[in-house]
Amino acid sequence: MAEMTRKEYREAQAKAAAEAETRDEKRREAEREYAKESRPKPTTGRFDEPTFKKVNSLKKKLNWAIGITAVLLIIVFVVLFFL
């Protein structure tokens, strides 16, 4: 195995450090590009996702309440006028 001189060792270390720096710079650039692409789009609707789910849940509950009230009114009407 050939021995390296101090100068060769320092040059090899400097070359390795320079390669690592260029590799890191490429990685940082790729991360910046990915962050730009995956940035959440601004919502164009009136509600964000959690609010939209809450509103839909309340809509369903309100529809059920209206339906049950209508059925109960029909039952009251039948009891009052036909029995």
Side-chain angles (χ1 to χ4, degrees):
M1 185 161 155
E3 294 290 323
M4 293 176 65
T5 63
R6 287 185 186 188
K7 182 178 180 181
E8 291 171 342
Y9 179 76
R10 276 188 253 125
E11 289 173 353
Q13 290 295 321
K15 182 179 177 184
E19 288 174 356
E21 184 63 32
T22 57
R23 215 174 31 246
D24 284 347
E25 185 59 37
K26 287 180 184 177
R27 179 187 52 82
R28 282 189 227 116
E29 184 62 33
E31 287 175 351
R32 277 190 222 108
E33 289 298 320
Y34 177 76
K36 286 179 185 177
E37 290 173 5
S38 64
R39 184 176 300 147
K41 307 288 187 271
T43 57
T44 57
R46 295 183 344 191
F47 304 119
D48 58 346
E49 189 65 27
T51 306
F52 183 74
K53 288 181 180 179
K54 287 179 185 177
V55 167
N56 278 346
S57 174
L58 288 173
K59 283 181 183 179
K60 288 178 185 177
K61 289 178 184 178
L62 181 60
N63 286 339
W64 274 101
I66 291 170
I68 291 170
T69 304
V71 170
L72 290 175
L73 284 173
I74 292 170
I75 291 172
V76 169
F77 177 76
V78 167
V79 168
L80 285 177
F81 293 107
F82 294 110
L83 292 182

